[in-house]
Amino acid sequence: MATDAVTEPSDDLTRLHYVGVALAAVTGVIHLVLGAGALAANPADPLGIAFVGAAAGFAAGIVGVLRGDERRRSRVVLLGIPFTVGQVVLYVALNWPHIFGIGGVADKLVQLALLAVLFALYRRDA
């Protein structure tokens, strides 16, 4: 039975790919928890919806890396860069000047590490 690169995990993933997946999972879970909490308090909360949407974006990126072929994976990495930069920029814009809450800073450190991995993967594969 032949395997399909879209449905089977790729066997050419590197340790750097898995570090990126782990970092995306951490920030995705943080966004999901924050979004679920906000939506539990107010189901129409736009920030809660945005947090859940961000979590879905990170989840889609994880699936794209784990289940994609090399070409799809490189697109996911390339799309992940502006998506993650957008998360950092939006956090600063929405929380200025009170940007140093422990949860937010921890999440942004994870995202900055994720950006470093994404840039390294992009440069390596370019």
Side-chain angles (χ1 to χ4, degrees):
M1 182 163 131
T3 60
D4 184 348
V6 176
T7 59
E8 293 296 322
S10 178
D11 55 356
D12 63 341
L13 292 172
T14 65
R15 185 171 292 163
L16 195 55
H17 286 103
Y18 288 113
V19 169
V21 165
L23 291 167
V26 169
T27 191
V29 167
I30 290 169
H31 281 81
L32 184 60
V33 168
L34 292 173
L39 292 174
N42 176 6
D45 183 358
L47 198 53
I49 295 167
F51 275 118
V52 171
F58 286 115
I62 290 168
V63 170
V65 167
L66 293 178
R67 299 290 186 181
D69 58 14
E70 187 175 332
R71 186 171 160 206
R72 177 175 292 167
R73 200 167 33 252
S74 67
R75 286 187 204 150
V76 171
V77 166
L78 190 57
L79 288 171
I81 293 170
F83 181 79
T84 307
V85 167
Q87 298 294 314
V88 175
V89 170
L90 283 172
Y91 174 79
V92 171
L94 294 173
N95 291 289
W96 190 261
H98 308 288
I99 61 170
F100 295 109
I102 188 128
V105 170
D107 182 48
K108 295 313 128 191
L109 289 173
V110 170
Q111 289 178 348
L112 290 174
L114 176 59
L115 280 169
V117 169
L118 292 171
F119 277 112
L121 286 167
Y122 175 72
R123 286 182 47 96
R124 187 191 69 193
D125 294 340

